[in-house]
Amino acid sequence: SVPSQASSDDFLQCLREKMPSELVHAQGSSDFTAVLVSSIRNPKFFTDTTVRPLCIVTPTDASHVQAAVRCGRWHGVRLRVRSGGHDYEGLSYRSARPEVFAVVDLANLRAVSVNKFESTAWVDSGATIGELYYTIAKHNPQIAFPAGLCPTMGVGGHFSGGGIGMMMRKHGLAIDKVLDAKLVNANGDLLDRAGMGEDLFWAIRGGGGGSFGIVLSWKVQLVHVPSAVAVFKIPKTLDQGAIDILTRWQVVGPLLPRDLTIRVIVQGQQALFQALYLGTCRSLVATMGYQFRELNMTSADCQSMTWLQFVVGNTDTPVEALLSRNTSLSTFTKNKSDYVRTAISKDVWRNIFSWFAMNGAGMIILEPHGGSMDSIHTAATPYPHRSGVLYNIQYVVFWQGDGTATTTWLGNFYDFMANYVSKNPREAYVNYRDLDIGQNVVMDDVSTFDSGKVWGEQYFMSNFERLASVKAAVDPTDYFRNEQSIPPLLQEH
Ligand code: FDA
């Protein structure tokens, strides 16, 4: 039910009674737009017709988050939570359907506290991944954390959906290293792991953001990295054998030693092989000669640098760049994902490259699995794409101005790929959120299990039903919901 104007006013009044009024930014207030765009990545979701929040709350204390949930429940206003705002469908700050909702923006809650003796850290959801990496390395350059590459991503959303990164073949996903968490549930209670219980703790580590409550902070296990890592980026054109090398990479990449990750970016008529090796250049050259000779990697390709500098992307930029939260609103994007369990043949790769010669073509990023991803059980966390996955594909198109050609290209290319990727279900990664694969239907004010199953089994496979059971136990009235939140599995099923 859509709250009336009266209950919206009561909601705002309730918020202002429970926290400093400068933390409540109502639509129409002078700073509303600035706060709204502060972490929007994709200008697609900042237009005149975008369904915007009634207000944005910027808590500076856990009690403010609890108050926002309680006020929301009392006055029938739903909350969406935003950490870094990188959701590919903008679900943390806009609604795809007409709806009255408020946003809890956690950007002010971003402390990172490292325990050097335990090699653990508590990190608040509003911190960016860049802030986390920087703070850890400042304590000790030989400790790090296995998560994604884009430094402006928020910890809250990123951890909620998994966290694919260049060390996952050795250490797993970000969620595999979460030891504890603090969450505000749909009743406004603040719970740690012991308080929330193992089912809910399981669900928040990969079940996707926005379904179970607002995670305020995460305790993580840090990992050891050498004082210098070895890095290369080797482009191969078609003439240089890109197709043969890529065909071979599909089976070699997942079987390489766990210290070595080689991901591939295909764009235009070129494949770019990007590697991180947790060791020396010398030993990397030897490993490559032995395991993946086809790439012809030599010591001239190799650069040695600190792990933190690798995260920055080059050795010229100061590591302080990781602390910047600035995002640009200039590029429109659309993303989709797939998983490959059976290597794609050389002939098909030839066809794929012809797609990349077309008007409107985007790029694909291939992230190898294998290594420790193979040894973590499918049901250990909600992220089910473990044993047997060769690699993940992320499809990316970007544009400025008119996006018709490139989004049409993406739709057609994704259809073409159906034959060559995982099937029944066609697997997808929840952090590469894609509303095209399905959206919830709401009946009697609750998202239906059957509508959620359509997209949910693609993201979570056999873990979807357990996620829906947890949702029924902790939020049966479906207070925390969006177009792709986990629906409650209610009794009649
Ligand atoms: P945002 O704040 O938009 O939230 C995403 C979702 O989680 C929303 O539904 C939101 O409501 C919910 N949510 C946010 N905070 C929450 C909290 N504290 N508690 C509960 N729910 C919460 N992924 C990856 O695995 N590896 C990678 O290398 C990259 N790289 C990358 C680069 C770029 C440029 C982008 C835009 C995205 C990626 N991603 C990625 C995808 C990324 O992991 C995904 O978009 C995350 O959800 C982003 O988290 P934010 O907190 O920034 O998102």
Side-chain angles (χ1 to χ4, degrees):
S1 58
V2 175
S4 65
Q5 182 62 42
S7 61
S8 300
D9 289 347
D10 291 345
F11 170 67
L12 288 169
Q13 172 88 28
C14 177
L15 291 174
R16 289 186 178 119
E17 278 165 12
K18 293 188 175 356
M19 67 186 82
S21 61
E22 66 268 21
L23 303 182
V24 181
H25 314 268
Q27 241 186 47
S29 73
S30 58
D31 63 352
F32 175 80
T33 306
V35 177
L36 179 63
V37 296
S38 59
S39 67
I40 294 186
R41 277 296 292 206
N42 196 340
K44 220 164 52 175
F45 308 123
F46 182 61
T47 70
D48 292 345
T49 53
T50 303
V51 180
R52 295 177 188 197
L54 171 73
C55 77
I56 305 169
V57 181
T58 50
T60 53
D61 190 84
S63 64
H64 304 153
V65 179
Q66 294 178 270
V69 172
R70 290 187 178 131
C71 291
R73 291 296 296 271
W74 282 328
H75 299 292
V77 176
R78 286 175 198 288
L79 294 181
R80 293 191 180 215
V81 51
R82 180 166 78 171
S83 291
H86 280 43
D87 191 276
Y88 282 144
E89 296 284 4
L91 298 188
S92 51
Y93 54 86
R94 67 116 193 180
S95 173
R97 306 165 186 167
E99 182 178 88
V100 177
F101 67 100
V103 165
V104 173
D105 186 313
L106 298 177
N108 290 330
L109 290 173
R110 55 201 241 219
V112 180
S113 76
V114 176
N115 182 330
K116 276 200 280 194
F117 305 103
E118 276 188 352
S119 222
T120 60
W122 271 102
V123 54
D124 287 348
S125 284
T128 63
I129 283 290
E131 288 168 338
L132 174 64
Y133 292 161
Y134 179 90
T135 311
I136 298 168
K138 284 292 138 179
H139 275 82
N140 179 350
Q142 301 210 107
I143 52 174
F145 189 68
L149 267 187
C150 170
T152 48
M153 274 187 297
V155 161
H158 188 55
F159 287 14
S160 292
I164 288 181
M166 291 292 275
M167 294 201 292
M168 87 178 158
R169 302 195 58 257
K170 177 150 183 162
H171 296 296
L173 304 165
I175 47 168
D176 297 323
K177 296 285 175 219
V178 173
L179 305 169
D180 201 341
K182 289 183 186 146
L183 162 128
V184 175
N185 71 6
N187 297 325
D189 303 324
L190 178 61
L191 306 169
D192 65 5
R193 177 176 182 168
M196 74 181 86
E198 288 304 301
D199 274 342
L200 180 51
F201 183 63
W202 174 83
I204 60 171
R205 285 172 299 147
S211 293
F212 300 101
I214 300 181
V215 183
L216 291 183
S217 51
W218 312 75
K219 183 182 184 185
V220 291
Q221 181 69 58
L222 305 176
V223 302
H224 176 265
V225 287
S227 54
V229 299
V231 174
F232 68 69
K233 278 187 192 169
I234 303 179
K236 292 285 179 191
T237 61
L238 288 186
D239 293 345
Q240 292 167 328
I243 287 173
D244 283 334
I245 303 170
L246 195 48
T247 306
R248 176 99 182 109
W249 168 87
Q250 297 175 98
V251 286
V252 174
L255 291 177
L256 287 170
R258 294 175 178 202
D259 284 329
L260 175 56
T261 296
I262 306 177
R263 70 170 192 168
V264 187
I265 299 177
V266 175
Q267 191 176 16
Q269 298 298 289
Q270 176 182 286
L272 177 67
F273 294 82
Q274 273 187 334
L276 169 67
Y277 179 60
L278 303 170
T280 62
C281 277
R282 201 177 147 161
S283 136
L284 175 57
V285 173
T287 304
M288 289 297 290
Y290 181 60
Q291 309 247 5
F292 192 14
R293 186 187 306 253
E294 294 82 352
L295 194 60
N296 264 325
M297 185 249 170
T298 69
S299 57
D301 298 310
C302 192
Q303 242 193 319
S304 178
M305 60 183 79
T306 62
W307 180 79
L308 198 62
Q309 206 72 55
F310 161 75
V311 174
V312 175
N314 61 67
T315 47
D316 304 329
T317 310
V319 290
E320 281 65 33
L322 294 173
L323 300 177
S324 166
R325 295 177 75 103
N326 290 344
T327 53
S328 140
L329 255 187
S330 60
T331 310
F332 295 73
T333 59
K334 169 71 192 166
N335 307 62
K336 300 177 84 66
S337 62
D338 264 318
Y339 284 84
V340 175
R341 289 176 180 268
T342 307
I344 296 173
S345 73
K346 199 168 143 178
D347 287 344
V348 174
W349 275 112
R350 253 189 225 110
N351 282 337
I352 292 175
F353 269 90
S354 67
W355 281 87
F356 284 91
M358 289 179 191
N359 184 28
M363 67 178 184
I364 49 174
I365 304 173
L366 315 177
E367 304 271 2
H369 280 49
S372 73
M373 293 296 283
D374 266 346
S375 45
I376 297 171
H377 194 274
T378 306
T381 70
Y383 183 94
H385 322 285
R386 303 275 191 177
S387 178
V389 168
L390 297 177
Y391 55 95
N392 166 281
I393 304 181
Q394 181 182 182
Y395 303 78
V396 190
V397 293
F398 29 86
W399 68 94
Q400 284 163 341
D402 183 12
T404 316
T406 196
T407 48
T408 305
W409 175 88
L410 177 60
N412 293 338
F413 181 48
Y414 181 76
D415 288 347
F416 164 81
M417 289 297 286
N419 273 330
Y420 312 110
V421 296
S422 65
K423 295 180 190 66
N424 303 316
R426 184 172 183 175
E427 295 165 60
Y429 175 34
V430 66
N431 261 349
Y432 298 160
R433 175 131 26 222
D434 178 8
L435 290 183
D436 301 350
I437 67 171
Q439 296 188 32
N440 287 341
V441 172
V442 176
M443 274 171 65
D444 301 330
D445 210 24
V446 174
S447 311
T448 67
F449 177 78
D450 291 335
S451 64
K453 210 171 152 168
V454 175
W455 55 267
E457 288 193 342
Q458 292 194 242
Y459 290 149
F460 306 112
M461 300 171 77
S462 55
N463 292 327
F464 177 68
E465 200 162 311
R466 181 171 173 200
L467 285 168
S469 300
V470 176
K471 174 76 175 178
V474 303
D475 183 17
T477 65
D478 203 24
Y479 176 63
F480 287 111
R481 78 163 173 238
N482 62 44
E483 295 74 0
Q484 274 188 353
S485 56
I486 303 293
L489 177 52
L490 299 169
Q491 287 310 320
E492 59 267 31
H493 272 88

